[in-house]
Amino acid sequence: MQAFADCPADTLAGIRYLLTDIDDTLTEDGRLAASTLAALEHLTDAGIQVIPVTGGCAGWCDHIARSWPVAAVIGENGAFAFRRDGKRLLTTWWEDAERLRAQQREVLAVTERLLAAYPQAALAQDQPYRLADVAVDHAQAVGPLAPDTIDALLQGFQAAGIQARASSIHINAWQSDFDKARMATRLLAETFGLSEADQQREVMYIGDAPNDAPMFATFAHAVGVANLLPHSERLNHEPAWLTERSHGRGVADIVSALLASRQPTTGPRAARSTESGESR
């Protein structure tokens, strides 16, 4: 991972879509700073489309799509995408919604058996508001649990033929073949009209945890906030860049750089680019 401060200005100037995780990327200790939300609005005002990509529940994503300055939101690790069209909320499902709900019931049955074996874990408190996946809390209202316990739970799901990924707070489990990256590339193509080449040039992704690895692997311009470092040994793919600061402060640095790339080429970043011979 290279320092995000060294990301070339011409790369930043080409970004038209900022995709970002939420928990411990935009937020810290579960709270979203007003300055972070304002930064997202500044991006929207500058013509950069913001799309949160989260393991968060459908209930939360409904609120985000309606109320935040975003173009869309992908929820439950890729099960669906919500976007506002005037006063209406439109939903893109990965596959038939009833099939996803039936699969969710099967995953819940496996989850109950695993929680009986590992009672220090618990269903996430937002589980009643989920439509497709199951979330096991390991560091939100419980724990934090030991890495060995998290690994044992992941292996338990996988042994039952269930996909499972650990975020900074939850283990998300589901049966279908969706993930954050598959739904992101589909949404960008089908809804926003981006070709595969466009997505590599014009999309930046920000994340903080092992469940962001599919996004890090998919998008060339992927960035980790500094609090990704403690999870680096659990990553199967690293982002290209790493911010100096953590959580929403790291996101603010990314936003500042993106906005600065739209300004006249003056200042320290422009000087660095000129010295290194980068094309402006």
Side-chain angles (χ1 to χ4, degrees):
M1 292 181 284
Q2 301 178 62
F4 177 73
D6 295 328
C7 185
D10 55 348
T11 295
L12 294 166
I15 300 300
R16 295 175 55 230
Y17 296 83
L18 184 72
L19 278 56
T20 177
D21 177 58
I22 295 178
D23 285 306
D24 288 320
T25 300
L26 296 178
T27 68
E28 185 170 6
D29 295 327
R31 304 301 295 268
L32 177 69
S35 58
T36 305
L37 189 61
L40 302 185
E41 188 162 21
H42 294 329
L43 286 179
T44 300
D45 291 344
I48 299 174
Q49 305 268 34
V50 179
I51 303 175
V53 185
T54 179
C57 67
W60 189 19
C61 292
D62 180 285
H63 162 74
I64 291 169
R66 294 179 191 275
S67 304
W68 286 24
V70 299
V73 56
I74 293 171
E76 297 186 26
N77 280 292
F80 55 79
F82 294 159
R83 61 186 176 90
R84 192 173 62 181
D85 179 22
K87 295 182 178 180
R88 297 186 305 154
L89 191 71
L90 304 181
T91 304
T92 299
W93 292 98
W94 179 255
E95 60 176 286
D96 178 74
E98 290 305 317
R99 176 174 170 79
L100 288 172
R101 291 190 181 101
Q103 292 173 345
Q104 183 192 50
R105 291 190 289 271
E106 296 173 3
V107 176
L108 274 168
V110 173
T111 305
E112 289 172 0
R113 294 196 294 271
L114 288 172
L115 291 179
Y118 299 95
Q120 61 271 51
L123 275 180
Q125 292 179 328
D126 69 0
Q127 185 61 46
Y129 314 108
R130 291 180 176 272
L131 297 178
D133 78 348
V134 174
V136 173
D137 187 350
H138 69 75
Q140 188 176 43
V142 305
L145 303 187
D148 288 350
T149 302
I150 296 171
D151 287 341
L153 287 163
L154 289 169
Q155 291 165 11
F157 282 119
Q158 291 159 3
I162 294 169
Q163 288 208 63
R165 302 274 171 78
S167 74
S168 59
I169 58 172
H170 292 159
I171 294 170
N172 295 87
W174 64 91
Q175 279 197 322
S176 187
D177 60 351
F178 61 80
D179 63 21
K180 285 184 171 185
R182 288 181 176 180
M183 179 54 94
T185 55
R186 175 176 164 183
L187 182 73
L188 289 166
E190 295 180 1
T191 300
F192 296 96
L194 271 67
S195 68
E196 185 175 341
D198 292 336
Q199 293 182 29
Q200 293 307 308
R201 287 191 304 269
E202 300 178 6
V203 176
M204 179 169 280
Y205 179 72
I206 315 172
D208 76 294
N211 70 326
D212 293 307
M215 296 291 279
F216 295 155
T218 298
F219 295 104
H221 305 314
V223 187
V225 285
N227 47 297
L228 174 70
L229 277 177
H231 306 290
S232 59
E233 292 185 359
R234 302 168 67 86
L235 287 173
N236 55 30
H237 200 285
E238 293 182 339
W241 313 96
L242 187 72
T243 62
E244 183 177 356
R245 300 199 295 172
S246 69
H247 301 90
R249 294 179 297 279
V251 174
D253 293 340
I254 295 168
V255 171
S256 293
L258 288 168
L259 294 176
S261 74
R262 270 77 178 155
Q263 301 302 317
T265 55
T266 60
R269 181 179 288 275
R272 287 200 303 271
S273 299
T274 303
E275 290 168 5
S276 63
E278 293 169 3
S279 171
R280 302 289 299 186

